[in-house]
Amino acid sequence: MITDTWWVDKIIDQLQQFVQSFDLFGLKEYWLYLDRRLFCRLEDVYKSTVNKLRTSLYRYYVINTIQKGNLEKTQEFFQKQALELQSQAEWRDWFILPFIPAPEQNPAFSPYFSRQWADTFLVSLHNFLSVLFQCMHILHFDSNFRLVQLFALQTESRDQRDGDEMVHHKLPAYPAKSKDAAQSKDVKPLSNQLSTSEPASSQQPTNQSRIQDHEKERKELFSKPPQTPERKVESLEVEPPSELPSEPPESSAAAEGGGLSAEQPFIKLSQEEYGEHHSSIMHCRVDCSGRRVASLDVDGVIKVWSFNPIMQTKATIMSKSPLLSLEWATKPDRLLLLGSGVGTVRLYDTDAKKNLYEMNIDETHPRILSLACSPSGSSFVCSAAALSRSGNVSGQLLLWDTKTVKQQLQFSLEPEPVAINCTAFNHNGNLLVTGAADGMIRLFDMQRYESAMSWRAHDGEVYSVEFSYDENTVFSIGEDGKFIQWNIHRCGVKQSDQILPQDATGPFVLSGYSGYKQVQVPRGRLFAFDSEGQHVLTCSSSGGLIYRLTNGEPALDRVLSLGGHKAPVVTVDWCSAVDCGTCLTASMDGKIKLSTLLAQKS
């Protein structure tokens, strides 16, 4: 049976053929035809969505001409579209595109060269058309003039000019559906292999039955108020950062235990692997711009790599001394802070590929366990610990100036100096939260440089801490396997207390042949939030797990398993520079998976 989804696939396939063959005239004519036959029937509230989709389609075409090295077609586009586009604000900066030497590296245009943006646009267009077909039954209108017949008449003159050349942009005849045919309600993501076979032609209904069907469909359409389609269509947006459709397509990577529910908040568009490490990963962090990743393994090898538009290693840093921590500087974001096991912190320039400074922290506390750069980039905090691993290890928390490369002060750690395992600033750098080996969380006022409050948070060490999205609470994971949300306005008051599986909190164990067993204590970030703070990504034995945060519920609501790993995941990060977010999951076999997600916004 030919479904609405089949029709949508054919339309998307046809548009892609025009783009790949650099047929600008065919692309414009085809979109104009869709506008006359489909989009013009929408209410005025949806016109802006249609215009944004058209803009993104044209940009998709232009980017393809550049990626394929066809500069002649790039210039042709702007010459032929100049009158139409030069007065539109969203195209004002695009007319310089043909004259930029490397536009894919230009900050203004680089997002459009990424596969994530292309996937986002195609899925958004697919979902928009799917909602349109399912809710409006447009193609049943004017049955005397079938869709393909009208389009054939429209392009007849072009056919004559082209002679025997095949016209690829005709839509196949739309077969009449039986009354018992069930309509598909799932909006599926665009497949890479779209069907190109023509459907069997259906028997033409009589004139009277066509009139009756037309009247029936017309009454159905105009008697129904625009309910769910209104919300779904309004949320479509494909400009970086993009607003994505709220209708949940069926993902190719469903959560374990079944397919995705109707409330599935994410689609996994793709998953790539970075395999340049040869030992277990300790840290894996994306910079604040979302363009580069720094990853550190237990052998002390650091890789700086990019994933947009392609995965590529930018720098490899080998260290004679063991490295224990890393953090991206915020301004400029090309700088990387590297903490060692011999009491030093290095400031490394990833563009120039050289060390700028090496700071000697404290010989009596040589293990640099955690680094955190302030949002302003003017300073960073450094946690230094003694070598002893028995009992409560002595430690220091220091503030350093990144410009003068000098220590500004040492924080007081009450009730006694202890090793700080993890640190995190809030958005403006006025607050600093730390988690320590004694199970305490300490909140520091960075304007007064003193402790604002502290409380016992976990039985055992605190492994990872982060501020919540609204910064009224902090979340922590500890050695006791608990994931706890704390109210920072009421010292030590829990807002939620949930148990995580052991493979989410560590210690992490990798078993091999002949009883071989490798054990790794948590070092890097154990959880990360999405751009709106409603979902959390955690570690697991086979890949990242995404949960929906619940208020006060005894258990987290699991929504998606990213999978892909054969060894335990030991650290995660979530890049939300655009709504088409990227999840990083790094494991004990040295593999890092980069999962691109499409957010389903409500």
Side-chain angles (χ1 to χ4, degrees), residues 229-261:
E230 182 171 342
R231 174 179 60 83
K232 294 169 184 173
V233 175
E234 278 185 320
S235 65
L236 282 168
E237 169 75 44
V238 292
E239 302 280 61
S242 57
E243 295 293 331
L244 305 175
S246 60
E247 180 71 10
E250 182 178 286
S251 173
S252 59
E256 294 176 10
L260 302 182
S261 67

Side-chain angles (χ1 to χ4, degrees), residues 405-586:
V405 199
K406 293 182 179 179
Q407 181 181 318
Q408 287 184 267
L409 60 93
Q410 178 177 340
F411 293 93
S412 174
L413 299 175
E414 301 294 341
E416 59 182 356
V418 66
I420 301 294
N421 292 330
C422 45
T423 53
F425 280 99
N426 73 333
H427 80 284
N428 58 13
N430 288 338
L431 295 174
L432 172 73
V433 64
T434 67
D438 60 0
M440 300 282 287
I441 288 180
R442 295 170 174 84
L443 190 68
F444 292 90
D445 182 342
M446 294 302 292
Q447 293 180 316
R448 298 183 178 181
Y449 301 114
E450 62 183 27
S451 176
M453 63 179 69
S454 62
W455 64 91
R456 181 164 297 280
H458 293 273
D459 294 329
E461 299 190 36
V462 181
Y463 286 149
S464 198
V465 291
E466 297 288 343
F467 280 94
S468 63
Y469 179 74
D470 61 9
E471 299 187 349
N472 288 315
T473 62
V474 294
F475 286 85
S476 63
I477 286 180
E479 189 178 3
D480 54 8
K482 292 184 177 181
F483 180 61
I484 305 177
Q485 182 181 16
W486 305 93
N487 189 325
I488 66 172
H489 303 292
R490 300 172 63 190
C491 182
V493 174
K494 299 178 184 178
Q495 289 200 190
S496 65
D497 185 347
Q498 291 143 337
I499 299 292
L500 289 175
Q502 183 177 352
D503 58 3
T505 61
F508 304 104
V509 179
L510 179 62
S511 300
Y513 298 106
S514 304
Y516 168 79
K517 184 180 291 185
Q518 179 183 348
V519 180
Q520 180 174 325
V521 297
R523 294 288 189 193
R525 174 183 284 189
L526 295 184
F527 64 96
F529 297 114
D530 68 340
S531 60
E532 296 184 351
Q534 297 179 358
H535 299 86
V536 61
L537 171 66
T538 69
C539 303
S540 81
S541 59
S542 59
L545 287 178
I546 296 178
Y547 296 91
R548 180 182 289 106
L549 293 176
T550 54
N551 294 324
E553 296 294 329
L556 291 168
D557 181 15
R558 175 171 154 180
V559 297
L560 184 63
S561 173
L562 298 180
H565 285 275
K566 297 179 180 179
V569 171
V570 295
T571 185
V572 299
D573 203 0
W574 196 331
C575 169
S576 301
V578 294
D579 287 338
C580 192
T582 301
C583 292
L584 293 169
T585 52

Side-chain angles (χ1 to χ4, degrees), residues 290-452:
R291 295 185 294 115
R292 285 169 297 190
V293 177
S295 47
L296 165 66
D297 61 34
V298 295
D299 291 338
V301 177
I302 293 176
K303 298 284 186 178
V304 179
W305 47 284
S306 63
F307 55 86
N308 184 0
I310 60 172
M311 194 173 285
Q312 184 178 21
T313 300
K314 298 294 187 181
T316 299
I317 309 167
M318 309 289 288
S319 176
K320 295 180 181 179
S321 57
L323 294 176
L324 301 179
S325 54
L326 69 77
E327 175 71 323
W328 283 102
T330 49
K331 295 178 182 179
D333 62 3
R334 71 175 189 276
L335 302 182
L336 196 60
L337 291 165
L338 306 175
S340 74
V342 293
T344 61
V345 172
R346 280 190 284 165
L347 193 61
Y348 183 86
D349 189 324
T350 59
D351 285 350
K353 299 181 182 180
K354 65 178 182 179
N355 292 319
L356 298 183
Y357 302 103
E358 184 169 283
M359 295 152 270
N360 294 308
I361 304 301
D362 187 353
E363 293 182 356
T364 61
H365 297 85
R367 294 191 299 133
I368 311 302
L369 299 182
S370 180
L371 295 163
C373 190
S374 66
S376 67
S378 61
S379 61
F380 69 91
V381 293
C382 166
S383 164
L387 287 173
S388 174
R389 294 180 179 273
S390 59
N392 285 339
V393 180
S394 172
Q396 295 180 339
L397 186 65
L398 310 170
L399 181 69
W400 279 69
D401 189 301
T402 52
K403 294 181 180 179
T404 63
V405 199
K406 293 182 179 179
Q407 181 181 318
Q408 287 184 267
L409 60 93
Q410 178 177 340
F411 293 93
S412 174
L413 299 175
E414 301 294 341
E416 59 182 356
V418 66
I420 301 294
N421 292 330
C422 45
T423 53
F425 280 99
N426 73 333
H427 80 284
N428 58 13
N430 288 338
L431 295 174
L432 172 73
V433 64
T434 67
D438 60 0
M440 300 282 287
I441 288 180
R442 295 170 174 84
L443 190 68
F444 292 90
D445 182 342
M446 294 302 292
Q447 293 180 316
R448 298 183 178 181
Y449 301 114
E450 62 183 27
S451 176

Side-chain angles (χ1 to χ4, degrees), residues 163-176:
D164 295 333
E165 183 180 352
M166 181 183 296
V167 178
H168 294 286
H169 55 265
K170 290 184 181 179
L171 287 176
Y174 191 83

Side-chain angles (χ1 to χ4, degrees), residues 11-35:
I11 293 175
I12 298 291
D13 188 29
Q14 188 62 71
L15 290 170
Q16 290 218 52
Q17 286 186 30
F18 287 131
V19 171
Q20 298 302 323
S21 62
F22 310 112
D23 188 352
L24 178 60
F25 178 81
L27 186 69
K28 291 171 58 179
E29 288 294 302
Y30 194 71
W31 185 265
L32 183 63
Y33 174 71
L34 292 175
D35 187 53

Side-chain angles (χ1 to χ4, degrees), residues 109-388:
F109 300 108
S110 60
Y112 298 95
F113 285 86
S114 69
R115 189 168 66 190
Q116 290 95 324
W117 182 85
D119 288 343
T120 302
F121 163 63
L122 292 174
V123 173
S124 298
L125 179 59
H126 189 281
N127 289 354
F128 179 84
L129 293 171
S130 296
V131 172
L132 203 60
F133 273 62
Q134 291 173 11
C135 301
M136 297 186 68
H137 311 290
I138 289 176
L139 295 181
H140 285 282
F141 281 10
D142 299 327
S143 300
N144 290 327
F145 302 96
R146 287 190 174 276
L147 186 64
V148 65
Q149 294 171 328
L150 286 177
F151 192 64
L153 290 173
Q154 177 196 6
T155 58
E156 183 177 355
S157 60
R158 189 181 176 195
D159 293 351
Q160 294 171 353
R161 288 197 310 270
D162 294 342
D164 295 333
E165 183 180 352
M166 181 183 296
V167 178
H168 294 286
H169 55 265
K170 290 184 181 179
L171 287 176
Y174 191 83
K177 294 183 180 180
S178 65
K179 294 182 180 179
D180 297 331
Q183 287 195 351
S184 170
K185 295 184 180 180
D186 292 332
V187 181
K188 297 184 180 179
L190 183 63
S191 169
N192 291 330
Q193 297 179 344
L194 298 175
S195 172
T196 57
S197 60
E198 297 290 332
S201 58
S202 57
Q203 184 178 357
Q204 293 289 339
T206 64
N207 188 49
Q208 183 177 0
S209 64
R210 287 199 298 266
I211 295 174
Q212 290 174 350
D213 288 343
H214 172 79
E215 289 300 321
K216 182 179 178 181
E217 295 290 347
R218 190 174 184 278
K219 289 179 181 179
E220 258 185 42
L221 175 63
F222 292 104
S223 63
K224 291 181 181 178
Q227 297 171 351
T228 54
E230 182 171 342
R231 174 179 60 83
K232 294 169 184 173
V233 175
E234 278 185 320
S235 65
L236 282 168
E237 169 75 44
V238 292
E239 302 280 61
S242 57
E243 295 293 331
L244 305 175
S246 60
E247 180 71 10
E250 182 178 286
S251 173
S252 59
E256 294 176 10
L260 302 182
S261 67
E263 297 180 355
Q264 173 63 38
F266 301 103
I267 309 168
K268 188 171 77 171
L269 294 177
S270 63
Q271 188 175 78
E272 300 173 86
E273 179 180 289
Y274 184 78
E276 295 297 314
H277 288 279
H278 303 289
S279 60
S280 181
I281 307 297
M282 291 170 53
H283 295 272
C284 184
R285 297 298 301 270
V286 63
D287 68 2
C288 57
S289 69
R291 295 185 294 115
R292 285 169 297 190
V293 177
S295 47
L296 165 66
D297 61 34
V298 295
D299 291 338
V301 177
I302 293 176
K303 298 284 186 178
V304 179
W305 47 284
S306 63
F307 55 86
N308 184 0
I310 60 172
M311 194 173 285
Q312 184 178 21
T313 300
K314 298 294 187 181
T316 299
I317 309 167
M318 309 289 288
S319 176
K320 295 180 181 179
S321 57
L323 294 176
L324 301 179
S325 54
L326 69 77
E327 175 71 323
W328 283 102
T330 49
K331 295 178 182 179
D333 62 3
R334 71 175 189 276
L335 302 182
L336 196 60
L337 291 165
L338 306 175
S340 74
V342 293
T344 61
V345 172
R346 280 190 284 165
L347 193 61
Y348 183 86
D349 189 324
T350 59
D351 285 350
K353 299 181 182 180
K354 65 178 182 179
N355 292 319
L356 298 183
Y357 302 103
E358 184 169 283
M359 295 152 270
N360 294 308
I361 304 301
D362 187 353
E363 293 182 356
T364 61
H365 297 85
R367 294 191 299 133
I368 311 302
L369 299 182
S370 180
L371 295 163
C373 190
S374 66
S376 67
S378 61
S379 61
F380 69 91
V381 293
C382 166
S383 164
L387 287 173
S388 174

